[in-house]
Amino acid sequence: MIGHNIDAARERLKASRSAARKNSAGGAQPSAKKRRRRALAILLPVLGGAAMLGLWAGYREINLAMLRNDELARNILFRLRLPRVVMAGIIGATLALVGAALQAMFRNPLSDPFTLGVSGGGAFGASVAIALGWGARVSGMPLVFLAAFAGAAGSVVIVYRIARTGLVVLPGALLLSGVVLNLIASAGVLTVQYMTDPTRSLQILRWLMGGLDAIGFGVIWRMLAFLIPGWFGLLALSRDLQLLAVDQETAASLGVNVQRCERLIYAVSSLLVAVTVSVGGAIGFVGLIVPHMVRLLFGQDLRIVLPCSLVLGAVFLILADAVARTVLGQAELPVGAVTGILGGPFFLWLLRREQQYSA
Amino acid sequence: MSGDALVEARGLRFSYAAGRPVICGASLALRAGAMGALIGPNGCGKSTLIRLLARLLTPSLGDIQFGGMPLSSINQRVLAKQIGYVPQTTSRTFPFTALEVVLTGRSPHISRFQFESNRDVEKARAALETVGISHLAQRPVTELSGGEGQLVSVARALAQEPICLLLDEPSASLDLKHRAGLIRTLFELRSRTGLTVLMVTHDLSLLDPGFDIVFALNRGTVATRGLPSEVLCDSVLRDLYSDRHIRTRRVEGRTFVWSEV
């Protein structure tokens, strides 16, 4: 009798499913795998287009004919614009991916490397290193980078310790401690700037605003040596992040080693953010905006959100950098200013929208 | 204690803050295929005990055996295929669809880099159908009511296909129909698949008849255990809840429990 009931339910289900298959317009959603393939099939050409636009945009007009016979045009394109577009792409991709992972892990849609103070901590570490003139390397690693990593990792640990009580991460405490850390870090940076000599102070300021200029491929290769393993590390955790984003306790009961997973994400995120901060400065809000755009476009599944954030993050920062290079004519705006001007209002809008759910 | 117990806990002790044990000396045994209920006053440690049994917390003293093995020695992924846990409340941040949430229940059965197969999706849909919420499959969980959300959690645990289900007040925000429906579903699964169930509940009138054993938890220890008819009586319950207004009555083969207002 009881078994019969369940069989009957299965039969009904089969019938409704085959009906849904026939009537494809009203049918069920395609599988996550298909949706991911579809999303990437859209985004990768968009990335190609954005890269083209990034190469084309700039004060000096360049067209294909010039490339053939104009040495200067070739130099501008391949020595200046190309590394810059690539740099914008990899930094945008990294920040967006880390943002998506942090949002899922903390189950907090307002998390990103910037709002949680990770970038701030990294910036503080890096500016100390610049002020002290640490051009040295420790076993091949620039000290600026090591200092940025220490700062970023320190912020992550502090935010985590404060916001977490037992199994619960308090969203209010999380963001507030991020804000306070940012304040402390920027006060620290100001102090460092005040105490150091004017040249270095200007260097720090210029770098803090987030700029992608004057970068060659040598730096890019070195960055990628850290970034690519980090990207794959986070992407490999997609499934765990999916479960954590739904509910932490349930994730644990479904076999996710929550503590190990969280520590891995902290470590990888600090590393990734430190690399981007030590090269591009504290570029804000990319990690916040991009994952939200991806979720609006392609749904919530983290196995889709993470790879798509990586690609769309690259698109976003390439375009933001193109705007930064062209909007003032011959002069150039720091890219961090562009993302800040776009991102700040977006954050406020999001905050207002989230209140409807969580207040 | 019986040798064929699926879950057996002895002398458990646990505290969140030092010096204030929530669980002190709790022991219980549940044989395979049994329906057990865990009752007791607010704050007596029911949720903590069930978390210990689900290995979400680790006892500071005592030991838990699952299927004859120390619970702590079982690989986490293996355990996830055997024990399903339904939390009391689940806060939902992101608007995953109900189907996506239920599909997470399949993850212990899938390797890390795989997506769910069509068969997994079918199982998830069957789980939604079993708890009677197929119509919610594509709805964002952030828009569901408390009771609907709870049913999604139960469906998620069913999609997991565990041999033992630990539920923390699954019926708390369910209406009359779904409350009884949930218990009926658990009975069906028990007789069909031999599922073992331990459920924290305040719904004392749902226990007799049907449940095999009731554990009454008081101040962190199992004070009384026995058949529902043995535990659900005036003297035991008045003592357990320190409430002399409690009444029990058997009507048409069921035991009803209420507290006089």
Side-chain angles (χ1 to χ4, degrees), chain A residues 264-290:
Chain A
L264 260 173
I265 293 167
Y266 288 132
V268 174
S269 300
S270 332
L271 175 77
L272 289 176
V273 171
V275 172
T276 62
V277 162
S278 64
V279 176
I283 298 169
F285 296 116
V286 181
L288 183 76
I289 300 177
V290 173

Side-chain angles (χ1 to χ4, degrees), chain A residues 234-306:
Chain A
L234 286 184
L235 290 175
L237 291 171
S238 297
R239 208 266 302 273
D240 294 338
L241 278 166
Q242 166 84 345
L243 299 186
L244 283 174
V246 173
D247 178 61
Q248 182 179 277
E249 219 182 13
T250 311
S253 79
L254 287 171
V256 177
N257 186 337
V258 174
Q259 206 176 27
R260 196 181 63 188
C261 185
E262 284 186 348
R263 283 183 182 160
L264 260 173
I265 293 167
Y266 288 132
V268 174
S269 300
S270 332
L271 175 77
L272 289 176
V273 171
V275 172
T276 62
V277 162
S278 64
V279 176
I283 298 169
F285 296 116
V286 181
L288 183 76
I289 300 177
V290 173
H292 280 280
M293 280 164 55
V294 169
R295 276 195 291 262
L296 284 174
L297 290 170
F298 306 112
Q300 299 290 326
D301 196 314
L302 263 297
R303 295 165 302 183
I304 300 171
V305 171
L306 291 179

Side-chain angles (χ1 to χ4, degrees), chain A residues 54-338:
Chain A
L55 287 175
W56 175 75
Y59 180 64
R60 203 186 144 96
E61 246 179 74
I62 291 178
N63 58 41
L64 286 177
M66 289 163 75
L67 281 186
R68 217 166 297 142
N69 42 33
D70 186 343
E71 179 75 16
L72 180 65
R74 264 207 300 271
N75 272 341
I76 289 180
L77 191 74
F78 292 112
R79 297 254 173 97
L80 292 177
R81 289 193 192 164
L82 184 63
R84 188 153 176 172
V85 166
V86 172
M87 181 63 79
I90 60 179
I91 288 183
T94 304
L95 290 173
L97 178 69
V98 172
L102 290 178
Q103 284 168 20
M105 186 181 73
F106 286 118
R107 284 166 299 285
N108 189 324
L110 298 175
S111 309
D112 100 319
F114 197 67
T115 55
L116 292 187
V118 185
S119 303
F124 175 64
S127 54
V128 169
I130 293 176
L132 296 176
W134 287 353
R137 290 157 183 279
V138 177
S139 53
M141 306 260 288
L143 266 174
V144 174
F145 162 71
L146 289 176
F149 178 67
S155 313
V156 164
V157 170
I158 293 170
V159 168
Y160 171 75
R161 283 280 162 81
I162 290 176
R164 180 159 187 161
T165 54
L167 269 174
V168 195
V169 176
L170 306 168
L174 187 72
L175 290 175
L176 273 179
S177 49
V179 167
V180 172
L181 271 181
N182 265 333
L183 288 175
I184 296 172
S186 58
V189 171
L190 283 178
T191 312
V192 170
Q193 271 188 296
Y194 186 77
M195 292 188 340
T196 190
D197 66 76
T199 336
R200 282 189 181 149
S201 172
L202 194 68
Q203 210 183 334
I204 292 172
L205 179 71
R206 188 66 196 79
W207 167 86
L208 272 181
M209 287 193 287
L212 301 167
D213 50 333
I215 278 162
F217 272 105
V219 180
I220 289 177
W221 297 134
R222 257 178 286 146
M223 283 175 77
L224 283 176
F226 291 97
L227 295 182
I228 289 176
W231 292 348
F232 280 104
L234 286 184
L235 290 175
L237 291 171
S238 297
R239 208 266 302 273
D240 294 338
L241 278 166
Q242 166 84 345
L243 299 186
L244 283 174
V246 173
D247 178 61
Q248 182 179 277
E249 219 182 13
T250 311
S253 79
L254 287 171
V256 177
N257 186 337
V258 174
Q259 206 176 27
R260 196 181 63 188
C261 185
E262 284 186 348
R263 283 183 182 160
L264 260 173
I265 293 167
Y266 288 132
V268 174
S269 300
S270 332
L271 175 77
L272 289 176
V273 171
V275 172
T276 62
V277 162
S278 64
V279 176
I283 298 169
F285 296 116
V286 181
L288 183 76
I289 300 177
V290 173
H292 280 280
M293 280 164 55
V294 169
R295 276 195 291 262
L296 284 174
L297 290 170
F298 306 112
Q300 299 290 326
D301 196 314
L302 263 297
R303 295 165 302 183
I304 300 171
V305 171
L306 291 179
C308 288
S309 294
L310 191 75
V311 180
L312 195 62
V315 172
F316 181 86
L317 204 62
I318 288 172
L319 294 181
D321 185 50
V323 170
R325 278 184 287 142
T326 50
V327 74
L328 292 186
Q330 200 165 2
E332 201 177 276
L333 209 60
V335 68
V338 176

Side-chain angles (χ1 to χ4, degrees), chain B residues 9-119:
Chain B
R10 267 176 307 214
L12 297 185
R13 204 180 163 85
F14 180 84
S15 51
Y16 292 101
R20 267 192 301 149
V22 180
I23 298 293
C24 39
S27 302
L28 61 80
L30 197 61
R31 63 179 169 74
M35 293 273 290
L38 189 57
I39 67 168
N42 289 330
C44 70
K46 301 186 294 297
S47 297
T48 306
L49 180 55
I50 211 139
R51 283 197 182 106
L52 288 168
L53 298 176
R55 214 178 72 180
L56 296 169
L57 300 172
T58 312
S60 53
L61 270 178
D63 79 319
I64 305 173
Q65 300 269 324
F66 183 81
M69 295 215 302
L71 186 69
S72 54
S73 74
I74 302 173
N75 173 286
Q76 199 174 4
R77 283 184 60 79
V78 173
L79 194 67
K81 288 182 203 167
Q82 305 196 321
I83 296 185
Y85 166 73
V86 177
Q88 189 171 358
T89 53
T90 325
S91 64
R92 309 283 192 196
T93 311
F94 295 104
F96 289 101
T97 65
L99 181 62
E100 281 175 318
V101 171
V102 175
L103 271 174
T104 62
R106 297 301 303 158
S107 62
H109 300 274
I110 308 170
S111 85
R112 171 175 289 274
F113 297 105
Q114 266 180 331
F115 279 98
E116 299 86 9
S117 65
N118 289 336
R119 210 166 135 261

